[in-house]
Amino acid sequence: HIATSLPLPSERDRLRPRIDLIVFMIDIKSKCSLKNVEASLAYVDGSFFLGKVCFLVTGVGRVNCCSIEINAISKLGEAYCSPVLFCELELEGVRLATAQRLLRMLQICAGLVPGFSALSFSLLMRHSADD
Amino acid sequence: MDETVAEYIRRTVLKIPRDEIKMMLQKWGFLSEAQLQTLNFHQIKDNISLEVVQLCEENSADIKQAAVLDIIYNHLYQNKRMWSVYQMRKTGEELEYFDITDFKKKFKRRLRSALKNVTITFREYEDNAIWIRVAWGTPYRPPNQYKPSYVVYHSQTPYAFISASVLKSNLPLLCQALIVASNYHDIREMELRSHSLNSLKDIVFKRYSQNFQTYCPKPLQGRAVEAESVDLRIINENRSEKERIQRLNQEAFGDGPQPILQFAQYKLETMFKSSPEMDVLDKKEPFRCLVKFSSPHLLESLKSLAPAGMADAPLSPLLTCIPQKARNYFRIREKRGLAPESFVSP
C-alpha cells in the first residue's frame, strides 16, 4: 500500500490488511519530504515503533542536490528508535538490493521468520549501527 | 560577384548542418541540379561552403538571392529565434481582398521612404504565411545582413510575428510599414513571446486543445491514471486524491499537447504583506519584485507539477490562464479598493 501522507483515508479502512511494516520514504532532495514524514509520524500508534517502522532515504546518489542534512535524519531515526536505510532509486542494482532488504525486514516483522521478532531485529540493527 | 555577398553566402552555408546543406540548396533553387551534382557533400563544411560560393560566382549571385537562402535557413530553424506577437487593428469590419503584390509594393515603398538602405525579401509558404526579411542600414552605411529582422504575417489574420534583430530602434519603422501594407490602422505588441513560432501561432489562432467547461454529474470513476501497466499488488491509498488532481489538471490544461513557451514572467507591484510587528517597510510603497519561470517547455512542466506532488491542485489561475489570455508576461498590481488583493493588469 502506498500513500502520500498519514493519516490514511478512512474510506478504505475495511479494505486494508494488517500492517506489518511502515517505511517512511524521505527524498533527500526535498525539505518538504522530511516535513511531511515528521507530520505523518504523529499519526502512528506507539506499538509500531517496536521494530515495525523504518526510514528509507532516497536520492543519495546525487550529492549536489541534497537539501536535508544526514544528521537530521539520523536524529529522527534515534528519536523514533527505528533504522534508517539509504538508497538511490535511479540505480537498478541498489534499487533491487534495497527492495530485498525491505522484504527481509517485512518477513521478520510479519512473524514469518521463526525465533526472530520485529523487536529483536530492531535491537540488532541498533547495536550494529552504534558499533 | 560582390565580396560581401560571397562572404555572406559562405557564412550562411556554414551555419547549416552538413546533412541538410544539399536539401537547402535544392530548396533555394539558385544553383542548377547539374551544379549541385558537382558538389562533394562529404568533405568538411569549410570546403563545401567555398565550393558553393564558387558556383554562386558563376551564376553571379547578388544580395537578393543570398537573402532568400537566409530566409530558407531561418524558416527551418525558426525555433532558434525569439518571436514576439503583434496584433493589428482596423476601423472597418469588411474583409478586404488581400493582394500579395499590393502588400509587397506598399511595404517596400513605406520602408524605403523612411530608410533608403534596406534589403527587403519576401517568401510565401503554403500555410498562408508570408515571411519578410529586412536587413537594416543607415543613411550612410549599407544594410547589415548579419542582423536582419524577420516578420511572419498570415494574411487573413490581424497577427504578425516578429523576430527583431538586436537593433530595436527599427521596430517602429517595421510596424508602420506592416500596417500600411496590410491596410490596418493600429498595431500593438502583445505580451507573448516564445522561441517556438508554431506554438505562438497555436495560441493566437486558438489551435491548441482548449478545455471547455463540461458539466460532469458524477466523478469519472475507474479512469486509468497512468497508461503504464499497473501491478495489481500495489494499492494506492490516495487514489481518489490522485484522481481529483488529474481531473483538475485536465480541466485547467486540456488533454492535448501544450504550446511550447520558455518563460512566464510576473512583475509584482504589490504591497509587502507582513505581520504588523515586523513593520518591514516604513513607507507604504509597493514591493517591486519579478518572478520568472523558465523551462524548455513551461506549460508541460506546469501541467506535471500537481501530479508529481510538487504543487497543490488546482494551480493558481495566474499560471493556467497563459494560453487563454495569450500572454506570458504579466504585471500584477494592487486592487484599489477595500480589500487589498492583487489583480492582473490588462
Side-chain angles (χ1 to χ4, degrees):
Chain A
H1 286 235
I2 52 177
T4 53
S5 64
L6 294 177
L8 294 175
S10 52
E11 64 245 17
R12 299 186 53 89
D13 275 344
R14 47 187 184 78
L15 299 166
R16 222 172 281 127
R18 183 191 73 203
I19 296 178
D20 290 313
L21 177 67
I22 306 179
V23 180
F24 287 96
M25 293 181 68
I26 304 174
D27 185 356
I28 210 166
K29 305 194 279 305
S30 155
K31 287 198 176 76
C32 274
S33 166
L34 183 60
K35 278 207 186 76
N36 190 11
V37 165
E38 283 170 343
S40 299
L41 279 164
Y43 292 96
V44 179
D45 185 65
S47 60
F48 277 97
F49 293 107
L50 299 172
K52 295 198 176 169
V53 169
C54 149
F55 295 99
L56 180 65
V57 183
T58 65
V60 297
R62 295 192 186 273
V63 186
N64 296 339
C65 304
C66 288
S67 280
I68 311 175
E69 300 213 8
I70 306 283
N71 225 3
I73 302 176
S74 312
K75 282 212 173 70
L76 193 68
E78 273 170 32
Y80 287 92
C81 307
S82 299
V84 182
L85 300 178
F86 295 89
C87 84
E88 173 53 75
L89 292 175
E90 291 183 35
L91 295 173
E92 189 177 345
V94 179
R95 203 168 64 221
L96 219 58
T98 311
Q100 283 171 337
R101 280 177 88 179
L102 288 173
L103 264 178
R104 208 67 176 111
M105 281 179 70
L106 180 59
Q107 272 183 316
I108 296 169
C109 293
L112 297 173
V113 178
F116 218 27
S117 73
L119 189 55
S120 51
F121 180 66
S122 75
L123 287 174
L124 196 71
M125 291 274 280
R126 271 239 298 258
H127 286 163
S128 59
D130 287 339
D131 296 334
Chain B
M1 189 167 74
D2 200 321
E3 263 302 307
T4 51
V5 177
E7 181 61 15
Y8 184 65
I9 294 180
R10 189 185 75 84
R11 295 228 209 149
T12 308
V13 174
L14 275 179
K15 281 199 295 193
I16 309 173
R18 200 166 65 161
D19 301 328
E20 317 260 325
I21 297 181
K22 179 164 187 184
M23 178 263 294
M24 262 199 233
L25 291 177
Q26 282 169 331
K27 274 209 173 99
W28 189 30
F30 179 67
L31 301 174
S32 69
E33 205 36 62
Q35 282 174 310
L36 288 179
Q37 295 292 345
T38 67
L39 283 170
N40 173 12
F41 293 103
H42 298 293
Q43 53 187 331
I44 58 169
K45 277 210 295 193
D46 270 337
N47 295 347
I48 301 180
S49 62
L50 289 172
E51 282 186 18
V52 171
V53 170
Q54 190 63 21
L55 291 173
C56 292
E57 181 84 53
E58 288 171 18
N59 291 12
S60 316
D62 66 11
I63 193 60
K64 284 209 250 294
Q65 277 97 10
V68 172
L69 182 62
D70 187 46
I71 288 194
I72 293 173
Y73 172 80
N74 278 285
H75 179 258
L76 191 62
Y77 292 100
Q78 51 191 241
N79 295 344
K80 285 193 172 191
R81 305 190 74 93
M82 179 62 98
W83 298 90
S84 306
V85 190
Y86 287 74
Q87 188 178 26
M88 300 188 278
R89 281 187 307 195
K90 61 163 76 168
T91 39
E93 276 301 321
E94 326 91 57
L95 221 65
E96 286 159 21
Y97 173 68
F98 180 76
D99 181 7
I100 180 79
T101 346
D102 191 47
F103 174 84
K104 290 190 205 176
K105 206 165 59 160
K106 284 199 185 137
F107 187 86
K108 282 197 280 214
R109 194 167 58 199
R110 188 67 171 85
L111 257 193
R112 290 225 167 93
S113 69
L115 198 57
K116 292 261 181 322
N117 282 333
V118 282
T119 312
I120 308 171
T121 323
F122 298 90
R123 191 167 172 90
E124 292 140 69
Y125 284 90
E126 319 74 43
D127 54 347
N128 263 332
I130 303 163
W131 277 62
I132 313 172
R133 174 188 181 277
V134 183
W136 306 92
T138 70
Y140 313 106
R141 285 206 310 267
N144 182 347
Q145 300 299 338
Y146 296 92
K147 293 201 163 83
S149 306
Y150 294 87
V151 180
V152 179
Y153 173 55
H154 284 252
S155 49
Q156 298 304 329
T157 75
Y159 296 103
F161 305 88
I162 301 184
S163 174
S165 62
V166 187
L167 314 161
K168 289 253 164 65
S169 52
N170 295 312
L171 215 47
L173 228 66
L174 193 59
C175 292
Q176 271 298 307
L178 253 178
I179 49 182
V180 163
S182 53
N183 291 320
Y184 283 85
H185 83 274
D186 199 355
I187 185 169
R188 70 168 185 106
E189 182 176 5
M190 291 172 72
E191 298 287 346
L192 183 62
R193 277 163 224 130
S194 174
H195 278 291
S196 167
L197 182 59
N198 278 333
S199 290
L200 290 175
K201 291 187 195 182
D202 284 344
I203 292 178
V204 292
F205 299 151
K206 306 253 178 258
R207 300 192 298 214
Y208 63 97
S209 83
Q210 290 182 78
N211 161 59
F212 296 103
Q213 293 288 324
T214 50
Y215 173 60
C216 266
K218 61 172 163 59
L220 299 157
Q221 285 169 350
R223 251 178 102 241
V225 171
E226 270 141 35
E228 25 176 291
S229 57
V230 183
D231 190 329
L232 288 170
R233 294 174 294 179
I234 301 175
I235 298 171
N236 200 320
E237 290 282 341
N238 306 96
R239 202 174 59 152
S240 52
E241 176 65 12
K242 271 196 135 164
E243 284 172 357
R244 183 190 78 98
I245 292 177
Q246 271 293 326
R247 187 174 43 84
L248 286 172
N249 229 33
Q250 202 222 351
E251 278 173 16
F253 291 97
D255 271 327
Q258 301 292 315
I260 302 177
L261 297 173
Q262 289 79 33
F263 307 105
Q265 188 172 292
Y266 301 84
K267 202 168 187 175
L268 301 174
E269 288 164 14
T270 50
M271 304 298 273
F272 185 73
K273 291 184 182 62
S274 67
S275 50
E277 311 92 64
M278 279 175 73
D279 199 24
V280 174
L281 288 175
D282 292 296
K283 319 179 197 77
K284 287 296 170 192
E285 255 180 38
F287 190 74
R288 272 170 257 275
C289 172
L290 188 76
V291 179
K292 186 170 183 178
F293 295 88
S294 54
S295 161
H297 193 339
L298 182 75
L299 293 178
E300 200 56 57
S301 60
L302 289 177
K303 186 176 177 183
S304 46
L305 277 180
M310 290 197 233
D312 291 328
L315 281 183
S316 160
L318 281 173
L319 294 170
T320 55
C321 72
I322 292 174
Q324 286 95 320
K325 289 224 163 105
R327 62 187 304 171
N328 55 349
Y329 287 77
F330 298 83
R331 283 228 326 254
I332 305 176
R333 283 195 228 106
E334 289 288 348
K335 184 152 99 176
R336 308 227 178 281
L338 298 163
E341 285 159 33
S342 50
F343 79 115
V344 182
S345 74

